[in-house]
Amino acid sequence: MGDNGHRPQERWDAIVVGSGFGGLVCAGYLAACGRRVLVLEQHDVAGGNAHAFRRRRAYEFDVGLHYIGDCGPGGILPAILSGLGLAGRVAFRALDPDGFDQLVLPGLDVRVPVGWDRYRDRLARALPEDAGAVEAFTTICEAIGKEKYEALLADMDLDDPRMLKLMPLTGRWGRRTLNDLFDHCGLSPRARTLLAAQSANYGSPPSTTTVFTHVSMLDHYLRGAYYPVGGAQRLVATLVEALEARGGELRTRSRVERILIERGTARGIRLADGTEIEAPLVVSNADYPRTVLELAGAEHFPPALVKRTRNASMRLPVAVLYAGLDRDFSARPNANLWWHRGWDIEAAYRELAEGCPSGELPFAFFSFASIKDPHSPPVCPPGHTNLQVMAPLALRYRGPEQGGYRRDPGYAAEKERATDMLLTAAERALGPIRDSAVHLETATALTHQRYISSTGGTPYGLASWGPFGMRPQARTSVKGLYVVGQNSRYGSGIVGVAISGILCAAQVTGRRLLAEVHAGAVLTDPALLPDRPAGWDPMAVSRGAARRGRAAARAGGAARTPTGTEPAPVGNQLR
């Protein structure tokens, strides 16, 4: 204690605000490069949109991770993990390589296989009248995907003028709309809808989606689609282990109220309880508009950037139904299902943006965690199915958006309406399931806004931010303040935000980190990582060492469950 009776102020080399996947990757690499790193998370458990929650001691639901691309040998994400000494600590199980996504539209059923050549051939057979246009479209997209991959490994910023030489097709098409490329290739309306059938991976229609966004999503899945064995929380916990192994710390239930800035330089943060923690480097994994306009404060940024950020729009939020069914769907292929009611993808997004006044979803995405991870006991009991049904969906509710909304009858009615639409879509795609439901729980835009603190409740980040196709750089105009995550230029999704995290750490350290680790460099000695005892629980690890220690002391030899020591409730009631 100091002379005045107060706790001495903490000082760290770096503070990461938010424990989403991008923030954890950045924190891990900063720690691996010798910095003392503190990660602060407002929620009960780390992971952001990649965290999980448990229900009835029988089901574990992933909030936002449904599948990950490019996790085979030489893949980007395995290289990022290996660079932190984590090779072998997370296994990835491949979805069906002959059809990891099943696209079901009226009168047509197409399975998306691994590999651009097979994908091209499969589409051409499904739409023979568009075969030439499909050939032209996929050839351009494949080339852009290759350019992006090579540029990432060159570890150069995408705005670097030298990139134009490395990425000529990206320079021509990357920031144009997907509709522009559709027009250029002469694709029919049916072909456009089929090609954009997986667009809920980024949450916007072809008219407002850049070619670069679409290719980034599609190319990494065509390199192989996977699911982490043990689920999303195991992947998160593994990154927490890497952080702690190098002297870093995760603190959950630690809401950052303000990023402290003096004379244009970041100096730390202030928590909601008034505690100030100093650091010369702050990395915000929080939502970008919230970072600029609330946490840091608009007064610290150039007026043009503030105006651009105030005028920014976000991609659509999502509604997700988490369902535990006492029915076995294990005979299905290990694939996601994309169900579409019609053939007009632009009209579908207009309907979703209006909150579906018709009362029926135009499309939905189905993820079967119990098929993807059949041998993990927390997923569901034997013979049951862990199903998630998701669709972009604007909320029509206009009541209070803070804590009071959960008791508002208007919100309850809108949530019930969303649940019914998701169930109806599920029964159109899968047949009757309502009588098989053991557990049903729906998350809306306000749910995501509450737990993930994302503007508008979207998991996809910015839709527009100034000139079309622009997104923020990692380095801000405030010295010592950086941003990572879903609003980065590297795309939404686990791999996109992971790339944003390692490239941010590369800018801070002046090292070509992604190129280094992809070539085999390991920056953390695996011997520093903790052993995993019987009953190792990724949920407990993801609460941080301090809360883990207190829970262990209270438990004092608590009985084991099939998933290890049962942790305290996550508290995510999804209302």
Side-chain angles (χ1 to χ4, degrees):
M1 304 288 284
D3 293 338
N4 58 3
H6 295 294
R7 184 186 301 274
Q9 192 162 13
E10 285 186 82
R11 290 176 176 84
W12 294 77
D13 296 329
I15 295 172
V16 177
V17 180
S19 67
F21 210 75
L24 287 176
V25 167
C26 185
Y29 272 94
L30 291 174
C33 292
R35 285 167 167 79
R36 292 182 65 251
V37 184
L38 174 64
V39 177
L40 298 169
E41 168 58 46
Q42 57 95 21
H43 189 28
D44 184 69
V45 63
N49 203 48
H51 84 273
F53 64 96
R54 293 169 178 167
R55 288 293 181 263
R56 300 174 182 265
R57 298 194 177 190
Y59 300 97
E60 182 171 297
F61 296 106
D62 291 329
V63 169
L65 190 157
H66 304 105
Y67 61 150
I68 310 173
D70 193 26
C71 290
I76 291 286
L77 187 58
I80 291 174
L81 295 174
S82 295
L84 294 173
L86 302 175
R89 289 180 83 88
V90 179
F92 294 96
R93 183 169 183 258
L95 276 65
D96 189 343
D98 190 52
F100 58 85
D101 275 344
Q102 181 183 9
L103 315 180
V104 176
L105 297 97
L108 191 64
D109 188 329
V110 179
R111 300 186 67 202
V112 178
V114 172
W116 278 100
D117 289 342
R118 297 177 68 204
Y119 175 65
R120 182 181 297 113
D121 292 344
R122 194 76 53 94
L123 291 175
R125 288 199 301 272
L127 299 168
E129 67 279 8
D130 280 279
V134 165
E135 169 79 21
F137 176 82
T138 54
T139 297
I140 292 171
C141 289
E142 181 181 11
I144 292 174
K146 184 179 180 181
E147 288 179 357
K148 178 193 174 182
Y149 209 80
E150 292 175 350
L152 286 174
L153 298 184
D155 226 357
M156 295 168 60
D157 191 277
L158 294 178
D159 281 339
D160 191 315
R162 293 172 294 174
M163 297 307 311
L164 294 176
K165 293 183 179 179
L166 293 177
M167 307 175 72
L169 274 174
T170 305
R172 180 182 177 187
W173 287 106
R175 288 184 178 168
R176 297 177 68 179
T177 71
L178 192 55
N179 268 348
D180 288 339
L181 186 54
F182 286 163
D183 290 343
H184 173 77
C185 297
L187 287 155
S188 70
R190 282 171 59 88
R192 294 167 188 239
T193 295
L194 181 62
L195 288 164
Q198 298 149 284
S199 59
N201 275 314
Y202 47 74
S204 55
S207 59
T208 61
T209 299
T210 65
V211 172
F212 186 80
T213 296
H214 180 78
V215 171
S216 295
M217 177 277 294
L218 186 59
D219 179 70
H220 97 295
Y221 285 129
L222 291 180
R223 294 174 184 270
Y226 299 81
Y227 185 81
V229 175
Q233 204 66 56
R234 185 183 184 97
L235 192 54
V236 169
T238 300
L239 285 171
V240 173
E241 289 179 326
L243 170 70
E244 294 175 345
R246 294 302 298 263
E249 184 178 347
L250 162 72
R251 294 180 192 169
T252 54
R253 294 182 178 171
S254 299
R255 179 183 291 274
V256 173
E257 181 180 76
R258 194 75 171 177
I259 295 171
L260 302 176
I261 299 169
E262 289 183 0
R263 295 186 293 275
T265 301
R267 70 167 183 86
I269 61 89
R270 183 170 61 245
L271 296 174
D273 67 3
T275 301
E276 292 190 0
I277 307 175
E278 291 190 350
L281 172 65
V282 177
V283 178
S284 179
N285 190 199
D287 176 83
Y288 184 80
R290 184 165 173 262
T291 297
V292 171
L293 303 176
E294 299 176 30
L295 294 179
E299 66 273 16
H300 297 294
F301 296 90
L305 183 141
V306 172
K307 181 179 179 181
R308 178 187 296 184
T309 304
R310 291 194 192 282
N311 293 336
S313 62
M314 309 303 290
R315 289 180 179 164
L316 282 173
V318 294
V320 187
L321 176 68
Y322 302 96
L325 310 175
D326 62 0
R327 176 179 168 189
D328 191 351
F329 276 89
S330 61
R332 289 187 58 85
N334 187 4
N336 302 303
L337 172 62
W338 297 85
W339 169 83
H340 286 253
R341 180 161 50 94
W343 281 99
D344 189 338
I345 192 69
E346 292 288 342
Y349 271 96
R350 288 194 295 270
E351 190 173 354
L352 293 165
E354 294 169 359
C356 288
S358 68
E360 188 169 1
L361 292 168
F363 64 78
F365 167 84
F366 302 84
S367 174
F368 300 83
S370 47
I371 297 176
K372 295 172 182 177
D373 198 14
H375 306 301
S376 293
V379 172
C380 66
H384 286 220
T385 294
N386 182 316
L387 170 68
Q388 293 171 46
V389 186
M390 181 182 83
L393 182 65
L395 199 62
R396 301 197 308 173
Y397 168 74
R398 293 295 179 267
E401 293 191 359
Q402 301 304 317
Y405 74 86
R406 291 180 293 158
R407 296 179 178 84
D408 189 312
Y411 176 73
E414 181 66 5
K415 181 183 172 184
E416 185 63 31
R417 180 174 171 272
T419 301
D420 185 68
M421 288 193 291
L422 290 162
L423 275 171
T424 298
E427 294 197 312
R428 282 180 171 269
L430 303 172
I433 63 168
R434 292 176 198 247
D435 291 343
S436 302
V438 176
H439 182 81
L440 294 175
E441 198 162 1
T442 301
T444 69
L446 287 183
T447 311
H448 292 281
Q449 190 168 302
R450 180 183 178 199
Y451 289 104
I452 313 300
S453 295
S454 59
T455 298
T458 179
Y460 306 116
L462 292 161
S464 66
W465 185 71
F468 183 72
M470 286 291 292
R471 280 194 166 200
Q473 299 182 42
R475 181 183 283 113
T476 73
S477 57
V478 174
K479 184 179 178 181
L481 176 61
Y482 291 75
V483 293
V484 297
Q486 65 182 354
N487 292 289
S488 78
R489 60 192 55 204
Y490 301 102
S492 52
I494 292 296
V495 175
V497 298
I499 290 169
S500 80
I502 190 173
L503 293 185
C504 178
Q507 284 198 24
V508 171
T509 60
R511 296 178 61 170
R512 298 176 63 247
L513 291 173
L514 185 53
E516 285 184 42
V517 301
H518 197 267
V522 179
L523 280 64
T524 293
D525 183 354
L528 296 174
L529 296 164
D531 293 332
R532 290 176 172 175
W536 179 83
D537 185 5
M539 194 73 76
V541 173
S542 300
R543 290 194 169 95
R547 294 186 58 221
R548 243 179 0 255
R550 289 195 296 270
R554 287 195 304 269
R560 297 288 181 180
T561 70
T563 61
T565 303
E566 185 67 15
V570 169
N572 187 349
Q573 296 301 312
L574 300 192
R575 293 181 177 174

